[in-house]
């Protein structure tokens, strides 16, 4: 197999990897904020449930979680899992990363001085308006480095989709390498991950510079 053929074959896997990445971010970033707000709820039962969820998501391997999401419906409820592979991957990734993003959001919100809430109250701001107009923009600025680290980790974690026999770029690299007894597929996969993470770091750095006025 020539290099160009190898690259062409792996391009499908690269697109699938990008699909996992973008769909995970699309689901996990907003869900993480919801989980964060529930984590700070006044109701003890809600807080406890969310704490348990976050503890499980952060305390068990993502690979194990993917297996549970995929095989769980069948073993627990005898629901057929035909066509469930890709949705299970996305659900597993979103639920896992939402827990991490929730804790990042919470750390950013908790770091805000209480005086800002008091000043907003004096100016007649409602709690929701205070949060979205004053607190949240500053929180985003503070948490961007931590979010960047998680997003970079996500790029690499997409390779865990091979657990469910999903042909993303890492799975295809292993298959081609085994069939062709060549190390080149791993080099191609490594370059892909590096370039993807470089793009992520570049975009997030631009975002940080755009928010410099919150110093």
């Amino acid at each position: 197999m020539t290099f160009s053929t190898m690259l062409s074959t792996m391009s499908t896997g690269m697109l699938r990897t990008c699909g996992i990445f973008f769909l995970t971010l699309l689901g996990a970033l907003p869900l993480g904020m919801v989980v964060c707000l529930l984590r700070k709820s006044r109701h003890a039962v809600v807080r406890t449930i969310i704490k348990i969820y976050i503890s499980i998501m952060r305390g068990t391997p993502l690979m194990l979680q993917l297996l549970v999401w995929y095989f769980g419906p069948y073993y627990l409820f005898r629901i057929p899992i035909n066509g469930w592979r890709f949705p299970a991957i996305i659900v597993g990734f979103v639920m896992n990363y939402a827990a991490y993003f929730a804790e990042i959001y919470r750390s950013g919100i908790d770091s805000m001085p209480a005086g800002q809430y008091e000043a907003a109250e004096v100016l007649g701001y409602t709690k929701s308006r205070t949060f979205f107009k004053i607190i949240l923009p500053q929180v985003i600025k503070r948490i961007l480095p931590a979010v960047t680290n998680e997003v970079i980790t996500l790029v690499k974690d997409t390779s865990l989709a091979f657990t469910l026999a999903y042909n993303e770029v890492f799975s295809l690299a292993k298959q081609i390498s085994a069939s062709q007894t060549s190390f080149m597929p791993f080099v191609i996969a490594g370059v892909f991950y590096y370039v993807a993470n470089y793009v992520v770091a570049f975009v997030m750095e631009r975002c940080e510079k755009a928010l410099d006025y919150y110093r």
Side-chain angles (χ1 to χ4, degrees), residues 16-30 86-87 90-91 93-94 154 166:
R16 290 180 175 182
T17 294
C18 290
I20 296 172
F21 173 77
F22 286 113
L23 288 175
T24 299
L25 284 186
L26 187 64
L29 286 172
F86 184 68
I90 300 303
V91 170
F93 271 92
V94 168
L154 172 59
Y166 186 71

Side-chain angles (χ1 to χ4, degrees), residues 7-77:
L7 187 61
S8 176
T9 303
M10 293 182 64
S11 62
T12 302
M14 294 175 186
L15 290 175
R16 290 180 175 182
T17 294
C18 290
I20 296 172
F21 173 77
F22 286 113
L23 288 175
T24 299
L25 284 186
L26 187 64
L29 286 172
L31 180 58
M33 180 57 70
V34 173
V35 173
C36 170
L37 296 178
L38 292 175
R39 171 74 171 77
K40 297 173 69 64
S41 171
R42 295 179 180 179
H43 302 285
V45 175
V46 174
R47 288 199 311 271
T48 301
I49 293 173
I50 296 301
K51 285 181 181 179
I52 293 173
Y53 157 70
I54 292 175
S55 177
I56 293 174
M57 291 298 104
R58 298 200 304 170
T60 58
L62 176 54
M63 183 183 297
L64 175 61
Q65 293 171 28
L66 291 174
L67 291 171
V68 170
W69 282 111
Y70 182 60
F71 293 107
Y74 177 75
Y75 287 129
L76 295 176
F77 309 107

Side-chain angles (χ1 to χ4, degrees), residues 170-186:
F170 180 69
S171 297
L172 286 176
K174 290 204 308 176
Q175 293 172 17
I176 296 173
S177 178
S179 63
Q180 300 294 317
T181 60
S182 170
F183 189 71
M184 184 55 65
F186 292 121

Side-chain angles (χ1 to χ4, degrees), residues 2 18 55 75 87-88 104-105 108 110-111 115 129 148 173-174 180 187:
T2 63
C18 290
S55 177
Y75 287 129
I104 292 174
Y105 293 151
D110 289 347
S111 70
R129 192 180 178 194
T148 300
K174 290 204 308 176
Q180 300 294 317
V187 175

